Amino acid sequence: MLHYILQILAFQLFFLMVYDLFLKRETFFNWNRFYLLFTPIAAFVLPLIKIEAFKNVLPQQYIVQLPAVILNPDSTEIETQLLPTVYLKNSSSFWSWEFIIYVGICVATCLFLVKMYKLISTIFSSEKQTLNGLTIVTVKNSSAAFSFFNYVFLGDAITPESYKTILTHESIHTRQRHSADLLFFEVLRILFWFNPLVYMYQNRMVTLHEYIADALVVKQQDKATYYQNLLSQVFDVNHISFINPFFKQSLIKKRIIMLTKTKSKQIHLLKYALLIPMVCSMLLYTSCDKDSNTSGTPLEGSVDRSDILQNIEILKESIAAKGNISDEEDAALKSLLVLTTPNGFTNPDLADAVENVEVPFSVIEQVPIYPGCEGLSVEEQKKCMSNKISQFVGQNYNTDLATELGLSGRQRINVLFKIDKQGNVTGVKARAAHPKLEEETTRVINKLPQMKPGEQKGMAVTVQYSLPIVFQVQE
């Protein structure tokens, strides 16, 4: 989740930088409106899109693959199935970043409801009249002027000379549905109250709405008169973020500058084509980005055939040089023959090796089945087993242990275990920063229920698994 939020922030920042540098000074107001509405949504959606074809864009020779980390160097297994990481957090801390986010959402929602209450109260307590489909709300003892959907709020202190101009201006906001744009950003402000970029988006949209309304009003009356109306009024505006105010002191100068600006040349519309390479590059990044909780199962066939032949030659030379091999080495070679020869599991000469062989996960015909995962396809059984183990660990792990030990931050625990031919969990080995964490991890994994064992050539076999656990200790 944190990685996703950081991607959203990075994409929105990039989109805003492009807008400020290349687009906001252009007079293509409707194009800018589309840009400001589209890009925050794109920032939410793009991190979720993974295009498989983009993963092959980079040539393989430019991709560095790090060697595997061996958790138990003395292990003789060929391959271990790496289960998805289990994330734990201690429950003793009242304050957590998730809790703070939810509290912030509740506070932001309350503030929004207070603003809505004030607006609705003003509507019910003020005089109203209908004109051309608009509801004109007269605000007593005020020179305020703003709109909200089909409601236009005009103070009774507004001079008669300015009244018609202001009403025309605010009616444009209602016809253009500008309030819907601002409510959209208000929802984003509630859900992502901690994101300053949402506030910047809304601020730019408010400014753009005024540009749009000003541009349409001056087509109906003299520019000089309109400038005079902007400069001569008493600035009195309710500070509500989702209304369209006529008199906002910080915008007056910008609006006049934009009104005097020469209309942008059509060739400048090509600037909006920047969206295409921007979106494509972001899709390339998100598609090639490896998710932190992606399974680390080795890819079948990922080892080059020439490397295998080279290792075989080295093995032959070592045996020839030594002259004889030990019983342990003989057992290891027989186990290899069981896995690599067509009749390895039925060959009577290899019967003793079959008893102890551990089948690599990538070639096993039937994976071990966790209780409750029966009757599914192989891939669904793998996913079901991963989910069940993660749920089991989360429910049975003593999450208060790290606090009791005085640990802080992220505690990463790696655990290896086997599911033997009877479906029992055996050979549990855990590595952690503290021995007590290793003991607790071993205790929990040993409590896993009996499963249906994996099968190869119709025979039950042992399969080894690796389970990473990330323990986040809340301060």
Side-chain angles (χ1 to χ4, degrees):
M1 175 61 74
L2 181 60
H3 182 62
Y4 173 62
I5 292 175
L6 290 176
Q7 284 183 318
I8 293 174
L9 293 175
F11 290 171
Q12 287 184 347
L13 178 61
F14 187 66
F15 282 134
L16 275 176
M17 289 174 62
V18 170
Y19 178 81
D20 285 347
L21 291 174
F22 300 105
L23 304 177
K24 77 173 183 179
R25 295 177 184 83
E26 302 295 339
T27 59
F28 304 119
F29 301 133
N30 288 326
W31 279 94
N32 281 351
R33 183 183 180 187
F34 166 78
Y35 183 93
L36 290 176
L37 289 173
F38 170 77
T39 52
I41 298 175
F44 288 109
V45 175
L46 287 173
L48 303 176
I49 299 176
K50 309 291 182 183
I51 300 178
E52 291 297 325
F54 281 3
K55 293 184 179 181
N56 300 321
V57 171
L58 291 176
Q60 288 298 316
Q61 59 266 31
Y62 295 111
I63 300 176
V64 179
Q65 184 173 357
L66 296 175
V69 177
I70 307 301
L71 298 180
N72 54 336
D74 56 339
S75 175
T76 59
E77 286 78 16
I78 295 177
E79 182 179 1
T80 298
Q81 162 63 0
L82 179 62
L83 294 170
T85 303
V86 176
Y87 291 90
L88 302 173
K89 61 180 180 180
N90 60 321
S91 57
S92 59
S93 177
F94 179 74
W95 294 98
S96 65
W97 67 271
E98 295 100 332
F99 178 77
I100 293 173
I101 287 178
Y102 292 138
V103 169
I105 290 175
C106 292
V107 172
T109 302
C110 291
L111 293 176
F112 172 75
L113 294 176
V114 169
K115 294 176 186 177
M116 285 297 299
Y117 174 77
K118 289 182 178 180
L119 199 62
I120 294 172
S121 297
T122 302
I123 293 174
F124 280 102
S125 62
S126 304
E127 296 181 5
K128 296 177 285 294
Q129 58 178 315
T130 303
L131 179 65
N132 297 328
L134 301 177
T135 301
I136 312 299
V137 180
T138 302
V139 184
K140 294 182 179 180
N141 302 319
S142 173
S143 60
F146 58 91
S147 61
F148 182 69
F149 287 100
N150 286 339
Y151 290 92
V152 177
F153 299 79
L154 298 175
D156 57 4
I158 295 176
T159 61
E161 296 81 8
S162 302
Y163 190 92
K164 183 179 178 181
T165 299
I166 296 171
L167 180 59
T168 303
H169 178 98
E170 295 303 324
S171 66
I172 291 172
H173 285 311
T174 62
R175 289 199 303 269
Q176 297 267 338
R177 297 288 185 266
H178 289 170
S179 295
D181 298 351
L182 298 183
L183 271 184
F184 165 72
F185 285 110
E186 199 69 21
V187 172
L188 293 185
R189 283 178 55 167
I190 292 173
L191 298 177
F192 297 91
W193 57 270
F194 52 87
N195 180 5
L197 300 176
V198 173
Y199 300 82
M200 296 171 67
Y201 262 107
Q202 190 178 49
N203 178 268
R204 280 154 179 74
M205 183 61 80
V206 169
T207 303
L208 184 61
H209 285 168
E210 297 308 312
Y211 292 165
I212 293 173
D214 290 342
L216 293 176
V217 170
V218 295
K219 290 181 179 179
Q220 305 174 25
Q221 63 177 252
D222 180 60
K223 280 189 177 182
T225 304
Y226 191 66
Y227 296 158
Q228 186 176 1
N229 285 329
L230 286 177
L231 294 171
S232 62
Q233 299 298 323
V234 177
F235 303 121
D236 182 12
V237 182
N238 288 344
H239 295 289
I240 299 178
S241 54
F242 50 86
I243 62 173
N244 291 108
F246 182 79
F247 303 121
K248 190 172 183 180
Q249 188 170 8
S250 61
L251 287 180
I252 296 297
K253 182 179 179 181
K254 292 180 181 179
R255 290 166 64 184
I256 293 176
I257 291 174
M258 188 57 71
L259 280 169
T260 59
K261 188 176 178 64
T262 305
K263 190 175 181 181
S264 300
K265 297 179 181 179
Q266 292 296 308
I267 190 67
H268 291 173
L269 280 171
L270 291 175
K271 290 183 178 181
Y272 296 92
L274 286 170
L275 264 177
I276 299 174
M278 286 164 58
V279 170
C280 289
S281 60
M282 290 175 181
L283 283 174
L284 178 62
Y285 166 75
T286 57
S287 297
C288 296
D289 182 44
K290 288 189 176 181
D291 195 16
S292 59
N293 56 3
T294 301
S295 175
T297 307
L299 298 176
E300 184 176 357
S302 61
V303 180
D304 192 273
R305 183 173 178 82
S306 61
D307 292 337
I308 296 176
L309 293 174
Q310 184 179 359
N311 289 333
I312 291 175
E313 290 298 324
I314 294 174
L315 178 61
K316 288 165 60 178
E317 292 175 2
S318 299
I319 294 174
K322 188 175 181 181
N324 54 21
I325 58 176
S326 64
D327 293 340
E328 183 181 359
E329 292 167 339
D330 179 66
L333 284 173
K334 286 184 177 180
S335 296
L336 183 60
L337 289 173
V338 170
L339 297 172
T340 56
T341 56
N343 61 342
F345 280 87
T346 57
N347 189 332
D349 295 332
L350 302 176
D352 55 338
V354 172
E355 291 296 319
N356 301 313
V357 71
E358 295 178 7
V359 181
F361 193 85
S362 61
V363 300
I364 192 169
E365 296 173 350
Q366 175 59 59
V367 297
I369 302 176
Y370 196 97
C373 299
E374 300 86 354
L376 304 175
S377 65
V378 175
E379 287 303 318
E380 289 173 339
Q381 286 173 352
K382 293 179 183 177
K383 185 176 180 181
C384 178
M385 180 175 182
S386 299
N387 293 337
K388 293 282 189 181
I389 290 179
S390 297
Q391 183 180 6
F392 183 90
V393 173
Q395 291 175 346
N396 291 274
Y397 209 98
N398 179 13
T399 53
D400 295 328
L401 180 61
T403 304
E404 295 171 5
L405 297 174
L407 302 177
S408 61
R410 274 196 167 196
Q411 300 295 322
R412 187 170 183 86
I413 307 163
N414 294 298
V415 56
L416 290 171
F417 63 94
K418 301 174 185 178
I419 300 176
D420 64 16
K421 292 186 292 184
Q422 287 74 42
N424 298 317
V425 173
T426 61
V428 181
K429 297 179 181 178
R431 283 195 177 183
H434 197 285
K436 291 293 184 181
L437 290 179
E438 294 179 355
E439 292 178 11
E440 175 63 14
T441 303
T442 302
R443 181 190 69 82
V444 173
I445 298 300
N446 277 322
K447 288 181 63 177
L448 284 169
Q450 186 178 24
M451 309 175 201
K452 183 179 178 181
E455 293 183 1
Q456 185 76 6
K457 305 297 182 182
M459 299 179 60
V461 293
T462 299
V463 181
Q464 179 160 307
Y465 287 84
S466 174
L467 179 67
I469 299 174
V470 174
F471 195 168
Q472 180 65 51
V473 183
Q474 303 293 341
E475 299 293 339

